[in-house]
Amino acid sequence: MATVIFHHVTKRFGNTTAVEDFDLAIQDKEFVVLVGPSGCCKSTTLRMLAGLEKITEGTIEIDGRVVNKIHPKDRDIAMVFQNYALYPHMSVYKNMAFGLQLRRFPKKEIDRRVHEAAEILEISELLKRKPRELSGGQRQRVAVGRAIVRKPAVFLFDEPLSNLDAKLRVQMRGEILKLHQRLQTTIIYVTHDQVEAMTMGSKIVIMREGRTMQMGKPIEVYDNPDNRFVAGFIGSPAMNFLEAELIEKDDALWVRRDSLLLPVPDSKKQTYAEYKSEKCFFGIRPEHIYDKEFLKEYDPRYIINARVELIEPVGSFVILQIALGNDTLVAQVDPHTRAALNTEIELVVDMEKMHLFSETAPHLALGTQ
Ligand SMILES: Nc1ncnc2c1ncn2[C@@H]1O[C@H](COP(=O)(O)OP(=O)(O)OP(=O)(O)O)[C@@H](O)[C@H]1O
Ligand SMILES: [Mg+2]
């Protein structure tokens, strides 16, 4: 049981500001994911919470208690690191028991907890092995087991799956989620992988250069990114951006770019109206551009003609790289598309899903409702 609150937290290394004015409130039992590109201070933020890094300014509270000056071992937190940091000369059992031994737990209690954790993680038959005799996935489980036996109030995970192959990563993702449901503990999970963030977090915090760019439920962030950075970071393949202009013609608003002219749908007219005649970035996700042939109904004004430059069949869909004048866009279309290289294709842009970002203040969205 624990809530965690970051209150105006700043971290400086010498004269360099790493984390700046970071605010975050985490509820008890919440699964929060910090996500962002390499170097955006995810680990530093987590390490400050764990007590492994000093806080320069601001406060961190765990369950209402400011922990800035509390020793790491007294914070009731367990952390799983990317490299697992297992002791190579110790058996799996010893690796899991070690933290409890240091804390002078009775032998019987240690034994009970290690076996319980091993059962949850399905590694009971591996307890006598040494880490080098384990696969990557098994080692990862031991690292998690070592955290579980502590029964901490908060679990911290710092990119725990990045050493695993793609298939195992997906499997372990599910297992960590199940573990969360079973243990009912607060979890803060760090990753640079936006798919991991989207699939795991009940709340995600998108970070860039030590600052929060947006936080919210994954689907809210996907539907309504606050800025171009978040729009481009969340979603795969990434959102297309075109520098464009918003013009008024025949009583309607239009997105214009070279030969491209697409109408702003009525539902979005009001939101965007005040940005008329401004230069901005028009954003559309690849999954919102359709192969016209597979649509029964569409607004004919949403059609674009483009030349196919690359075809990537993925199985459940096909990714097309298309040229539109001098621009290249990505579309994710029906797997049975008849698109052929270097030929023209008619695509339909779902303008109900359009986004618009200000060019003068690229970190500010114009609103996407
Ligand atoms: N002890 C330190 N001294 C000086 N600078 C540091 C120190 N630790 C981290 N930094 C800097 O702080 C910034 C954030 O580092 P951090 O490890 O938190 O990033 P990250 O988001 O976890 O990245 P990655 O995804 O690569 O793990 C980086 O620019 C890093 O060089
Ligand atoms: Mg890191």
Side-chain angles (χ1 to χ4, degrees):
M1 290 276 287
T3 56
V4 173
I5 298 176
F6 286 79
H7 191 65
H8 295 303
V9 171
T10 291
K11 172 70 189 176
R12 277 188 284 273
F13 293 109
N15 291 328
T16 318
T17 302
V19 179
E20 188 165 348
D21 204 16
F22 185 79
D23 278 322
L24 176 63
I26 298 168
Q27 287 163 23
D28 183 35
K29 298 179 191 154
E30 212 173 359
F31 195 125
V32 173
V33 179
L34 308 183
V35 62
S38 184
C40 75
C41 297
K42 304 178 294 292
S43 297
T44 304
T45 305
L46 215 56
R47 288 168 59 79
M48 282 192 284
L49 173 57
L52 304 174
E53 206 76 74
K54 266 200 174 149
I55 301 160
T56 314
E57 277 167 31
T59 54
I60 296 180
E61 281 176 33
I62 300 174
D63 249 354
R65 175 175 74 145
V66 175
V67 295
N68 289 42
K69 296 206 169 111
I70 308 267
H71 194 272
K73 79 170 182 7
D74 299 323
R75 293 191 185 195
D76 205 6
I77 273 179
M79 188 153 166
V80 179
F81 298 90
Q82 176 179 352
N83 60 7
Y84 315 145
L86 299 177
Y87 300 110
H89 58 285
M90 289 184 193
S91 66
V92 167
Y93 183 99
K94 266 245 146 180
N95 262 287
M96 285 164 70
F98 191 61
L100 298 179
Q101 282 168 354
L102 283 182
R103 287 172 176 78
R104 303 195 183 285
F105 273 68
K107 229 174 148 194
K108 252 192 166 162
E109 176 64 10
I110 295 177
D111 197 56
R112 199 182 62 73
R113 287 198 188 189
V114 170
H115 280 104
E116 188 189 46
E119 209 166 295
I120 293 174
L121 296 163
E122 296 174 10
I123 50 172
S124 300
E125 66 290 2
L126 305 177
L127 289 173
K128 291 203 178 96
R129 293 207 200 161
K130 296 270 169 63
R132 66 168 183 280
E133 297 163 331
L134 303 175
S135 71
Q138 290 166 337
R139 266 179 232 165
Q140 204 271 342
R141 275 166 222 247
V142 177
V144 173
R146 196 169 51 176
I148 292 181
V149 293
R150 299 253 322 274
K151 301 197 185 227
V154 186
F155 276 109
L156 308 183
F157 287 89
D158 192 350
E159 311 231 16
L161 307 184
S162 47
N163 287 341
L164 306 179
D165 67 44
K167 197 168 162 215
L168 200 52
R169 219 160 41 216
V170 173
Q171 187 193 334
M172 286 308 294
R173 227 153 66 188
E175 291 190 12
I176 291 177
L177 284 177
K178 277 192 230 151
L179 195 68
H180 176 240
Q181 279 164 12
R182 180 165 178 168
L183 301 177
Q184 298 277 312
T185 337
T186 310
I187 292 187
I188 307 172
Y189 187 102
V190 159
T191 177
H192 62 265
D193 179 347
Q194 58 92 19
V195 176
E196 220 165 275
M198 292 290 283
T199 49
M200 297 183 84
S202 48
K203 176 155 83 191
I204 61 177
V205 181
I206 297 114
M207 299 178 66
R208 179 195 196 184
E209 293 172 8
R211 285 158 198 79
T212 301
M213 301 306 285
Q214 188 170 358
M215 64 175 86
K217 288 191 183 136
I219 190 66
E220 289 168 2
V221 172
Y222 171 87
D223 283 342
N224 293 311
D226 273 352
N227 47 65
R228 199 148 69 89
F229 176 79
V230 172
F233 190 77
I234 297 294
S236 174
M239 187 186 284
N240 297 292
F241 295 110
L242 291 177
E243 215 179 312
E245 199 183 359
L246 205 60
I247 61 159
E248 194 167 22
K249 192 168 75 104
D250 308 330
D251 235 8
L253 274 181
W254 301 77
V255 174
R256 184 172 71 181
R257 153 108 189 159
D258 301 337
S259 53
L260 183 83
L261 190 65
L262 290 165
V264 175
D266 288 344
S267 60
K268 291 178 181 281
K269 242 163 133 175
Q270 239 180 349
T271 321
Y272 293 148
E274 59 183 292
Y275 298 94
K276 258 183 322 208
S277 313
E278 265 203 36
K279 283 226 161 162
C280 43
F281 283 94
F282 166 66
I284 190 80
R285 295 196 184 277
E287 56 271 38
H288 298 143
I289 305 178
Y290 301 91
D291 185 339
K292 179 169 150 274
E293 228 185 287
F294 294 85
L295 290 184
K296 287 202 188 78
E297 276 178 43
Y298 51 87
D299 185 331
R301 298 173 308 163
Y302 292 178
I303 298 173
I304 55 171
N305 285 289
R307 196 167 42 81
V308 179
E309 287 193 326
L310 190 69
I311 304 173
E312 293 177 277
V314 177
S316 50
F317 51 83
V318 169
I319 296 173
L320 299 179
Q321 230 181 64
I322 50 169
L324 198 68
N326 290 326
D327 300 308
T328 300
L329 297 184
V330 174
Q332 183 178 307
V333 298
D334 193 283
H336 301 106
T337 180
R338 287 190 289 174
L341 266 187
N342 298 319
T343 62
E344 290 276 316
I345 183 169
E346 277 190 312
L347 298 165
V348 177
V349 179
D350 183 358
M351 291 297 282
E352 293 287 344
K353 301 279 169 53
M354 69 170 279
H355 300 263
L356 216 52
F357 302 96
S358 161
E359 197 211 11
T360 43
H363 60 290
L364 293 176
L366 305 184
T368 51
Q369 289 296 329

